[in-house]
Amino acid sequence: MAMVRSATCCGRLQVPRLSIRRRLSALSGGACRPTTWRHQPIALLCYFMSVSTIQQLTNRVALYRSVPTRLLSRAWGRLNGVELPNWLRRPVYTLYIWKFGVNMQEAAVEDLDHYRNLGEFFRRRLKPAVRPLCTSCCLTSPADGMILHFGRVKNSEVEQVKGVTYSLESFLGPQRSQSNEPSSSFSDLLLSSPENDLFHVVVYLSPGDYHGFHSPTDWRVELRRHFPGSLMSVSPSVAHWIKGLFCFNERVVLTGQWQHGFFSLTAVGATNVGSIRVYFDRELHTNTPHYSKGTFFDRSYVDQVLKVAGEGCVASLNKGGVVLHKGEAVGEFNLGSTIVLLFEAPKDFSFNLQPGQRIRVGEGLCSL
């Protein structure tokens, strides 16, 4: 009798549950299926594993951000400046060439013994004819590298890689309105015409790439904004699991105007790449020992006299800022890093690119 009562009790408990499931199944057109008790432990295990994975990822990001990457990068910078003895240069550079796939046939000086230290080797110049300029496209690649992401800016958010975004306002900092129309969003603030949209493209420079960056179009630079910050790696693998990575890292933002309105070129620093150099701005100093979190430093190029440094930069200054021409050398990194272009263009603007595509300085980016 005890066994019968137990079975009856279990049956009474299961009837309402089955009835509810049948009703839900009928309401959803039969899409709802009762889950057997055997699958419930698996579902619970998957849930706790996902929570554990998120916690581990959060802890890993926090731990990585606590690493003194600025100090390590300054130490690496000093090491790069140490002159190597002649007998050691060729073995060291040959190992680097093999590891990162450097094409020394494109270098202005192919003789490895010519480079006194690692810094000179990283910043090697190219032969003039190896990077022909695309004259049929209004926008060309500012650097050698890989296309991480590109497209239209939506909701004032920009994708650093597919599915991982950062705030446009955090990245560029406060901006003045480009028109007299009231702005409903930060993106609208940058647009000079309602007929235009904002677009972006991200180029990742690996350690084996040519480390200079060039002007992607004819434009006028009005402002330089320097954001001191972290120097975490900007490799695609890291960019996938740190949201807002480009906003955390040190960067130099050049903003101004091109034929369609607002235009900006941002050089983002990375681990061992604390040195970002802009040829026409000798006052810029990156990866300094001390800085206040969240601060930035502006320098206006409007109505100022600049002493333009060499390195192939022939920028001219007028009352509106520094005039740069397409293909002109603008600056360099001490090692591989990232260039982000953010610009205004007509709504029918389209990129002629693929994610992950290899690209070189001077090659066309668009089909406008």
Side-chain angles (χ1 to χ4, degrees):
M1 292 297 293
M3 292 177 63
V4 173
R5 283 197 299 268
S6 176
T8 304
C9 180
C10 291
R12 287 174 182 172
L13 289 174
Q14 288 180 357
V15 167
R17 190 178 303 172
L18 291 173
S19 177
I20 291 172
R21 285 175 179 167
R22 290 191 184 104
R23 291 178 183 177
L24 290 174
S25 178
L27 289 173
S28 60
C32 181
R33 294 287 183 271
T35 304
T36 62
W37 66 270
R38 295 182 182 86
H39 293 167
Q40 291 177 2
I42 298 175
L44 288 173
L45 178 61
C46 291
Y47 169 76
F48 286 117
M49 286 180 64
S50 64
V51 172
S52 175
T53 301
I54 293 173
Q55 290 176 344
Q56 290 178 5
L57 180 60
T58 302
N59 294 337
R60 185 169 60 172
V61 171
L63 178 62
Y64 182 45
R65 291 189 63 187
S66 67
V67 175
T69 52
R70 293 177 63 85
L71 179 62
L72 293 174
S73 297
R74 284 196 298 275
W76 178 254
R78 291 192 176 93
L79 179 63
N80 287 346
V82 175
E83 184 170 348
L84 298 176
N86 290 334
W87 62 269
L88 189 58
R89 295 177 187 178
R90 189 169 293 274
V92 169
Y93 300 148
T94 300
L95 177 63
Y96 189 92
I97 291 169
W98 171 79
K99 173 66 176 177
F100 296 108
V102 179
N103 185 1
M104 286 302 294
Q105 293 182 350
E106 297 181 337
V109 180
E110 298 184 35
D111 182 12
L112 298 180
D113 294 329
H114 169 80
Y115 302 101
R116 295 173 297 177
N117 53 52
L118 288 168
E120 288 188 0
F121 180 73
F122 295 148
R123 298 188 300 272
R124 63 193 175 277
R125 303 296 164 197
L126 298 179
K127 295 173 182 175
V130 298
R131 294 294 181 271
L133 193 63
C134 178
T135 56
S136 61
C137 187
C138 65
L139 190 67
T140 59
S141 176
D144 286 10
M146 180 178 69
I147 300 295
L148 281 190
H149 206 272
F150 62 91
R152 198 180 305 264
V153 176
K154 299 178 181 178
N155 302 320
S156 300
E157 291 280 324
V158 186
E159 287 191 302
Q160 58 192 31
V161 290
K162 185 65 175 179
V164 183
T165 64
Y166 58 92
S167 164
L168 182 61
E169 185 172 7
S170 298
F171 183 70
L172 294 178
Q175 299 288 322
R176 61 180 177 83
S177 178
Q178 300 291 317
S179 67
N180 296 325
E181 299 293 330
S183 302
S184 58
S185 67
F186 186 80
S187 296
D188 293 339
L189 191 71
L190 301 176
L191 297 176
S192 61
S193 169
E195 303 300 320
N196 293 343
D197 274 338
L198 280 180
F199 298 85
H200 75 101
V201 60
V202 183
V203 182
Y204 168 69
L205 291 72
S206 71
D209 287 322
Y210 162 61
H211 301 320
F213 52 93
H214 296 240
S215 177
T217 190
D218 296 331
W219 65 303
R220 186 178 68 252
V221 185
E222 298 172 345
L223 179 73
R224 180 260 288 162
R225 176 166 290 168
H226 173 213
F227 290 86
S230 302
L231 287 172
M232 294 180 285
S233 171
V234 292
S235 65
S237 58
V238 176
H240 271 97
W241 56 271
I242 299 185
K243 179 180 174 64
L245 172 63
F246 295 161
C247 296
F248 295 139
N249 272 15
E250 182 161 20
R251 59 197 181 278
V252 176
V253 183
L254 302 178
T255 58
Q257 299 289 317
W258 76 316
Q259 59 179 315
H260 299 297
F262 174 82
F263 194 93
S264 72
L265 181 152
T266 301
V268 183
T271 307
N272 299 333
V273 197
S275 175
I276 303 173
R277 184 182 176 192
V278 175
Y279 296 144
F280 58 79
D281 192 340
R282 293 182 178 179
E283 293 184 7
L284 176 64
H285 299 285
T286 58
N287 196 14
T288 54
H290 305 288
Y291 76 98
S292 299
K293 186 177 181 180
T295 59
F296 59 82
F297 304 94
D298 286 349
R299 183 186 181 186
S300 173
Y301 299 133
V302 179
D303 297 326
Q304 288 193 10
V305 176
L306 296 178
K307 294 181 179 179
V308 178
E311 309 295 350
C313 180
V314 292
S316 60
L317 181 72
N318 60 22
K319 292 184 178 180
V322 179
V323 177
L324 295 176
H325 300 287
K326 185 166 65 174
E328 185 176 334
V330 176
E332 65 186 20
F333 294 107
N334 193 47
L335 199 59
S337 193
T338 298
I339 293 289
V340 179
L341 301 182
L342 282 156
F343 54 92
E344 178 181 359
K347 292 182 183 293
D348 60 352
F349 178 92
S350 62
F351 289 100
N352 188 21
L353 299 171
Q354 294 293 330
Q357 172 185 335
R358 293 289 307 175
I359 200 162
R360 304 198 300 180
V361 170
E363 293 182 347
L365 297 178
C366 65
S367 57
L368 181 65

XYZ file of all heavy atoms in Angstrom, residues 277 279-280 282 307-314 329:
101
model
N 55.021 58.663 -33.254
C 55.638 59.896 -33.735
C 54.832 60.478 -34.885
O 54.430 59.759 -35.794
C 57.062 59.603 -34.204
C 57.830 60.847 -34.639
C 59.216 60.484 -35.133
N 59.934 61.632 -35.651
C 61.055 61.558 -36.346
N 61.597 60.384 -36.602
N 61.647 62.655 -36.790
N 55.378 63.401 -37.666
C 56.528 64.129 -38.183
C 56.395 65.641 -38.082
O 57.387 66.334 -37.844
C 56.780 63.740 -39.650
C 57.153 62.290 -39.848
C 56.707 61.587 -40.966
C 57.951 61.609 -38.924
C 57.042 60.259 -41.166
C 58.282 60.287 -39.109
C 57.829 59.607 -40.229
O 58.163 58.287 -40.413
N 55.188 66.173 -38.250
C 55.056 67.625 -38.255
C 54.767 68.202 -36.864
O 54.497 69.385 -36.735
C 53.966 68.072 -39.253
C 52.596 67.500 -38.998
C 51.776 68.022 -38.013
C 52.130 66.450 -39.760
C 50.511 67.497 -37.787
C 50.866 65.919 -39.554
C 50.052 66.449 -38.555
N 56.592 68.277 -33.292
C 57.711 67.952 -32.409
C 57.339 68.019 -30.934
O 58.070 67.503 -30.079
C 58.880 68.908 -32.684
C 59.506 68.726 -34.061
C 60.679 69.673 -34.255
N 61.323 69.488 -35.549
C 62.360 70.201 -35.964
N 62.869 71.159 -35.177
N 62.897 69.976 -37.157
N 57.242 73.903 -37.121
C 58.513 73.520 -37.719
C 58.377 72.061 -38.138
O 58.376 71.156 -37.320
C 59.658 73.684 -36.714
C 59.913 75.137 -36.335
C 61.065 75.237 -35.353
C 61.352 76.692 -34.985
N 62.472 76.803 -34.006
N 58.229 71.842 -39.424
C 57.953 70.508 -39.934
C 59.223 69.674 -39.944
O 60.238 70.085 -40.497
C 57.340 70.586 -41.348
C 57.093 69.191 -41.891
C 56.051 71.388 -41.315
N 59.137 68.473 -39.319
C 60.273 67.558 -39.327
C 60.370 66.886 -40.684
O 59.445 66.923 -41.486
C 60.109 66.517 -38.225
N 61.483 66.240 -40.937
C 61.730 65.613 -42.232
C 61.005 64.303 -42.413
O 59.806 64.208 -42.225
N 61.736 63.233 -42.754
C 61.204 61.894 -42.971
C 60.185 61.852 -44.106
O 59.212 61.116 -44.059
C 60.559 61.352 -41.684
C 61.414 61.440 -40.445
C 62.647 60.571 -40.512
O 62.735 59.752 -41.449
O 63.516 60.700 -39.657
N 60.357 62.677 -45.115
C 59.447 62.629 -46.250
C 58.176 63.413 -46.065
O 57.306 63.406 -46.928
N 58.021 64.086 -44.924
C 56.808 64.860 -44.674
C 57.024 66.281 -45.174
O 57.931 66.976 -44.731
C 56.478 64.870 -43.175
S 54.998 65.800 -42.756
N 56.177 66.708 -46.096
C 56.293 68.055 -46.649
C 55.016 68.831 -46.370
O 54.541 69.613 -47.176
C 56.568 68.014 -48.171
C 57.938 67.459 -48.446
C 55.501 67.178 -48.894
N 53.858 60.910 -46.102
C 54.243 60.318 -44.824
C 53.809 61.222 -43.676
O 54.074 62.422 -43.682
C 55.756 60.105 -44.777
